[in-house]
Amino acid sequence: MRTSALQYLYLQKPVSTIILVCFLSVLPWAAVNRFSTKGEPREAAVAVSMLKSGDLALPKAYANEFAYKPPMMHWLIAAFSLPGGQVTEFTSRLPSALAYTVMLACILLFFGRRVRFQEAFIATLLLLTCVEIHRAGLTARVDMLLTVFMVTGLLDLYRWEDKLEMKGLPIRIPLLLGCAILTKGPVGLVLPLFVFGVYLLALRRYSRQKILKSLLYVTVSSVLIPSVWYIEAWRRGGNDFLYVALAENFGRFFHLEPSNIHYNLGHENGAWYNLLTLAAGFIPWTLLLLISLFGLKMTKPGSPLKQWLSKCGHAILSMEKVRLFSLIASACIVFFYCLPSSKRSVYLMPAYPFIALFMAQYILHFVERRSGVIRTFACVMATIVTVILAIAALHQTGAVNIYDLAAPYFAKESALDTLASVSLALSPSAVTLSILALMWTALGAICYQMMKKNNLKMLYSTIFLMFTINLFIDGAVMRTIHKEGSSQPFAQEIQRDFPLDHTNVYVVNNLFRHPNLYGLNFYMGNCFHDLAVEKPQSGYFLAPEKDFSEIAGEFLDKYSFEKLRVSDLIPEIKGRIVLTRFQAK
């Protein structure tokens, strides 16, 4: 019965299965994990401002500043928050969680109709369990939403050429690419069209005039709706908005350092960084690829290098269309993000679905022809999980205290706090014990498959084990780290003990010199004002403790400060926050 049920899910309801697994993978933890980084509450606070002010075009987000990014993510957060009347961690992460689910379902449908279905299914599972995509699906940031709009837009561009030979323009293409622009700017259009243009050239079926005309149609139709928002935002924000828009969209790409914004563009790395982050982002499957290298037989090219390269080029151009499109998309996206000075691992996420297709093909090759690679990888992961389960069991029975055992090897307070959170996460609780029981089940399934000869089932058992590892990290470890590292308790404490409201709480907003308190701002209802701009007579002032003396010195001739409360360590700013009362002199 168990086998028939699994076959039914896989053969009859594969998309429904993927959707269900995605929901189980991200939705519970999107609801219970607090904000403990600066990025998530920064985006959520914009939606808070939208709901309070009704301003959907250019709302104020932190101490009188407007949002850095276009508003699609914030519109969705506000829409999901409207029924409950407030923005929460769950409603802030819901757009990313839904985008994660939609993208995986669309990838399975798209590839499942064009390549061997098993290959498409495994590619989808690789995406579901790899670090980068899974993490983005749990995060209230624009990157997952941008990825789903760009990837689905690319898939529709492929269908447009494949089925219609670029005759007529399906309305879904400009809608998806327009939404991508409204999520993070012109890159949402430029990158998909770059990929599609290179693909059309590689097909060698269309004239350059035809290609340019098609790209122009897509461009014009895609920018119509976003241009309405950009014009309105420029009208409302003036040159301040223009400087930020130019810096975010062109300053990063052309290695410029604009002087008209009050923060560093940051994230500067070399081209090598993209390759490293791709390898890290596909963990744990990167380890499988490394193990597989020992099973390859290297042969010297039988012809001169020039002829060998020519044969490779011919082989690439002779690929099935969907594989050629996937190869070009992977290469163009990685190349495109090698050009800007600013590089982050999440920028490469649109390439992940296309790379996953080739990874799945490669892995199936070893499943069918060299079973030792899959079994070795399964043994390695089973060993890692066995160690985790053993440590958890020893900790829960009191035989070993992880904090006492490891603390002597750490000096930094932040590292000790993280260690304490991990120790607390392994303590017995209903959620932790349930996840550990599921991990034991997955480990048992791998051990059982070790005694069999079905390598495909061994692969699926290993994927199931990866799924339980993600559950353990999100539901036990990270849930506790987020809880212990959040600024929410300090926000509740000072709001309870002092008469703080939306008129008397001030900070300084100068990211060149001091970190902003985005988490505290969100948990206090987006109530911060800029002390340097508004120049009030009295009120309450919040600042990082390590920067307070410097900031107070800047206002020494205007205000006197009285310290009232200091928080515990806040990982978001890598320090403590101090609350003071100030009075004009």
Side-chain angles (χ1 to χ4, degrees):
M1 291 297 294
R2 181 175 59 186
T3 302
S4 62
L6 289 174
Q7 288 177 346
Y8 174 77
L9 287 173
Y10 168 68
L11 295 175
Q12 303 299 324
K13 301 289 183 180
V15 177
S16 299
T17 302
I18 288 296
I19 291 173
L20 176 61
V21 173
C22 285
F23 283 162
L24 293 174
S25 179
V26 297
L27 286 184
W29 323 124
V32 300
N33 289 347
R34 295 174 181 172
F35 291 147
S36 62
T37 60
K38 63 181 180 180
E40 291 189 285
R42 182 176 62 198
E43 306 297 343
V46 180
V48 172
S49 179
M50 285 182 173
L51 289 181
K52 287 186 176 182
S53 67
D55 184 354
L56 300 180
L58 204 64
K60 300 295 183 181
Y62 181 94
N64 309 103
E65 76 178 12
F66 49 79
Y68 296 163
K69 299 179 180 69
M72 178 58 72
M73 178 75 170
H74 315 123
W75 286 344
L76 292 175
I77 295 174
F80 291 138
S81 304
L82 197 58
Q86 65 175 343
V87 178
T88 65
E89 294 94 341
F90 177 70
T91 59
S92 300
R93 292 171 175 141
L94 193 53
S96 293
L98 294 179
Y100 168 78
T101 305
V102 168
M103 186 183 76
L104 293 185
C106 289
I107 287 297
L108 180 58
L109 283 170
F110 179 81
F111 286 136
R113 293 171 178 171
R114 292 166 175 83
V115 300
R116 189 166 47 144
F117 185 78
Q118 198 171 76
E119 189 178 323
F121 193 68
I122 290 174
T124 307
L125 293 177
L126 297 182
L127 290 173
L128 192 148
T129 52
C130 76
V131 168
E132 193 69 70
I133 299 296
H134 175 74
R135 181 180 62 180
L138 268 170
T139 308
R141 300 292 296 270
V142 302
D143 305 293
M144 190 71 247
L145 193 63
L146 175 67
T147 298
V148 75
F149 285 135
M150 291 175 68
V151 169
T152 52
L154 279 168
L155 300 186
D156 275 355
L157 286 169
Y158 175 91
R159 294 188 187 100
W160 182 39
E161 187 284 326
D162 188 46
K163 294 181 178 180
L164 301 176
E165 295 183 340
M166 298 188 295
K167 295 175 182 177
L169 182 62
I171 192 171
R172 198 163 61 179
I173 292 176
L175 283 178
L176 288 171
L177 297 183
C179 287
I181 297 172
L182 283 171
T183 302
K184 205 172 181 179
V187 68
L189 174 66
V190 173
L191 181 52
L193 291 188
F194 172 56
V195 171
F196 188 56
V198 174
Y199 170 68
L200 293 178
L201 290 173
L203 288 179
R204 296 177 293 181
R205 292 180 56 188
Y206 305 99
S207 66
R208 293 186 180 181
Q209 182 180 4
K210 171 71 172 176
I211 293 173
L212 289 174
K213 186 182 294 185
S214 300
L215 296 180
L216 181 61
Y217 286 159
V218 176
T219 300
V220 172
S221 58
S222 298
V223 301
L224 291 177
I225 295 176
S227 64
V228 175
W229 175 78
Y230 272 100
I231 292 171
E232 175 62 14
W234 187 10
R235 186 185 69 81
R236 299 269 299 277
N239 287 337
D240 289 340
F241 168 79
L242 182 62
Y243 294 146
V244 169
L246 292 175
E248 287 286 329
N249 294 292
F250 299 102
R252 292 184 189 276
F253 196 87
F254 293 108
H255 303 248
L256 303 177
E257 285 295 337
S259 59
N260 298 328
I261 59 174
H262 67 280
Y263 60 95
N264 291 310
L265 294 176
H267 311 301
E268 293 188 5
N269 291 285
W272 54 266
Y273 179 81
N274 285 342
L275 300 179
L276 291 179
T277 55
L278 269 178
F282 267 110
I283 289 174
W285 306 110
T286 309
L287 178 60
L288 174 57
L289 299 184
L290 289 175
I291 292 173
S292 73
L293 296 179
F294 295 97
L296 292 177
K297 293 183 178 180
M298 303 301 293
T299 58
K300 293 182 179 180
S303 56
L305 180 61
K306 186 176 181 180
Q307 292 182 357
W308 182 79
L309 291 175
S310 178
K311 288 181 180 179
C312 288
H314 179 73
I316 289 173
L317 295 177
S318 301
M319 282 181 169
E320 300 172 74
K321 287 181 68 175
V322 68
R323 296 190 191 279
L324 176 62
F325 181 75
S326 298
L327 180 63
I328 289 173
S330 304
C332 287
I333 292 169
V334 174
F335 169 76
F336 181 88
Y337 282 116
C338 286
L339 300 178
S341 58
S342 178
K343 296 177 178 65
R344 294 181 64 223
S345 61
V346 291
Y347 294 169
L348 299 176
M349 287 200 306
Y352 275 64
F354 305 104
I355 296 173
L357 177 66
F358 294 103
M359 290 181 65
Q361 182 183 12
Y362 183 74
I363 290 170
L364 278 174
H365 167 79
F366 283 96
V367 167
E368 296 165 355
R369 293 175 176 82
R370 295 181 180 273
S371 61
V373 171
I374 300 300
R375 292 181 174 269
T376 301
F377 175 68
C379 285
V380 171
M381 298 313 302
T383 301
I384 293 173
V385 170
T386 301
V387 171
I388 293 173
L389 292 172
I391 292 174
L394 291 171
H395 182 78
Q396 290 173 355
T397 58
V400 171
N401 186 295
I402 294 177
Y403 183 84
D404 293 340
L405 190 66
Y409 300 98
F410 295 92
K412 290 186 177 180
E413 185 179 7
S414 58
L416 290 172
D417 280 357
T418 301
L419 183 62
S421 297
V422 172
S423 177
L424 184 61
L426 293 179
S427 301
S429 69
V431 173
T432 301
L433 291 176
S434 299
I435 294 173
L436 291 175
L438 198 60
M439 293 178 73
W440 278 112
T441 303
L443 188 60
I446 282 190
C447 293
Y448 176 76
Q449 293 300 332
M450 286 289 184
M451 299 182 290
K452 304 293 182 179
K453 294 184 178 180
N454 192 320
N455 297 317
L456 185 61
K457 288 185 177 180
M458 172 64 73
L459 176 61
Y460 282 125
S461 297
T462 308
I463 291 173
F464 176 46
L465 185 66
M466 298 305 102
F467 175 75
T468 63
I469 291 174
N470 284 340
L471 286 183
F472 174 72
I473 293 172
D474 299 327
V477 179
M478 294 308 299
R479 181 167 63 93
T480 309
I481 290 176
H482 283 305
K483 180 180 179 181
E484 297 299 315
S486 174
S487 56
Q488 184 187 42
F490 185 61
Q492 294 173 337
E493 175 188 337
I494 60 178
Q495 286 180 308
R496 181 192 64 227
D497 296 342
F498 301 97
L500 307 179
D501 56 42
H502 282 73
T503 65
N504 62 2
V505 182
Y506 295 87
V507 293
V508 292
N509 186 5
N510 187 346
L511 281 172
F512 279 125
R513 301 177 63 182
H514 315 294
N516 281 345
L517 313 176
Y518 291 111
L520 194 64
N521 178 57
F522 170 77
Y523 285 116
M524 293 181 67
N526 193 38
C527 68
F528 290 178
H529 300 272
D530 194 330
L531 181 66
V533 172
E534 299 199 7
K535 300 180 176 64
Q537 292 297 305
S538 63
Y540 294 89
F541 180 72
L542 288 157
E545 185 183 33
K546 60 185 178 181
D547 296 333
F548 175 71
S549 297
E550 179 184 346
I551 296 171
E554 295 175 5
F555 293 95
L556 190 61
D557 59 333
K558 298 178 180 178
Y559 299 109
S560 59
F561 294 89
E562 174 192 0
K563 281 191 178 182
L564 302 176
R565 195 68 53 90
V566 179
S567 73
D568 293 330
L569 185 69
I570 304 294
E572 176 191 336
I573 63 167
K574 301 177 182 178
R576 292 177 168 79
I577 299 173
V578 58
L579 171 69
T580 65
R581 183 187 291 116
F582 68 90
Q583 182 71 42
K585 292 183 177 179

